[in-house]
Amino acid sequence: MKALLIVDVQNDFCTGGVLAAKGGEEVAPIINKIAPNFDLVIASKDWHPIKTKHFDKWPPHCVQETHGAEFHSDLNTANIDLVALKGTGTIDDGYSAFEATNINLISFLKQNKITELYVSGIATDYCVLSSALDSVKEGFKTFVVTDAIRGVNVNPNDSEIALQQMKEAGCILIASEEI
Ligand code: VGL
């Protein structure tokens, strides 16, 4: 069985958001198109308290219950079976969807007999990267949907480097039209 993981397609990571990945919202229509091909669709949300050590590194973003933390309106949420909330503590970065605190993501995927995980969303160089690397570590055959991800690129090459890291870790890079 195969699952789609949609990482953090939230307002604060899209155009106009406080930590926007360039063209972040462009992943939404691609994700909407591929989502019906999966047995299970999980969407993560960065879900931070107002005060967290994470905001020593980053401008405050995706604060719980705020507009910035909502899914971008272009994302079809009807496709989503489960929302995984991460970064909910006062010290954790919560980059990986596997750090979700409202659900044990590994157990949930295993209970649903998922063996293949396809990773999409934002940001290529942080949360997509961490989630994909954890997915490999947990033994899932891991795909990264290259046209359905966008990076923050604090340094201009960060997304490129992240893609290389994912590839070296064993992720399979795939275009949405190949799914
Ligand atoms: C993210 C930077 C800071 C992400 C989260 O969702 O990739 N990036 N916090």
Side-chain angles (χ1 to χ4, degrees):
M1 303 281 255
K2 53 184 193 172
L4 176 65
L5 176 63
I6 307 168
V7 177
D8 303 3
V9 181
Q10 293 167 273
N11 290 322
D12 272 341
F13 296 128
C14 296
T15 302
V18 292
L19 198 47
K22 192 163 185 288
E25 63 285 355
E26 292 165 8
V27 302
I30 300 167
I31 290 168
N32 295 344
K33 198 164 162 190
I34 62 174
N37 297 318
F38 291 88
D39 301 299
L40 193 67
V41 178
I42 296 130
S44 68
K45 264 189 174 179
D46 226 16
W47 196 248
H48 296 303
I50 292 175
K51 281 195 176 172
T52 164
K53 285 251 178 244
H54 184 61
F55 295 162
D56 294 347
K57 299 177 200 163
W58 298 100
H61 59 277
C62 298
V63 173
Q64 296 168 10
E65 313 289 352
T66 64
H67 174 75
E70 289 311 310
F71 289 124
H72 190 277
S73 57
D74 290 352
L75 185 70
N76 183 359
T77 55
N79 291 322
I80 299 169
D81 299 302
L82 174 83
V83 177
L85 304 174
K86 63 187 181 58
T88 59
T90 53
I91 53 168
D92 59 319
D93 288 313
Y95 290 133
S96 169
F98 286 88
E99 292 175 57
T101 54
N102 63 321
I103 181 94
N104 182 326
L105 187 57
I106 298 165
S107 311
F108 185 76
L109 292 170
K110 294 199 167 155
Q111 275 160 19
N112 283 282
K113 312 251 181 298
I114 300 299
T115 54
E116 296 187 1
L117 191 68
Y118 287 66
V119 183
S120 64
I122 313 169
T124 309
D125 34 0
Y126 291 94
C127 292
V128 167
L129 173 65
S130 287
S131 301
L133 296 183
D134 277 352
S135 174
V136 172
K137 260 186 232 152
E138 295 303 334
F140 298 102
K141 187 171 182 184
T142 305
F143 296 82
V144 177
V145 188
T146 51
D147 52 327
I149 55 176
R150 291 293 183 279
V152 167
N153 293 318
V154 173
N155 299 303
N157 290 337
D158 284 354
S159 288
E160 224 172 281
I161 294 165
L163 272 171
Q164 194 57 35
Q165 269 180 280
M166 291 188 266
K167 211 168 143 184
E168 277 164 20
C171 297
I172 300 156
L173 308 189
I174 191 171
S176 63
E177 63 193 14
E178 296 172 63
I179 296 171

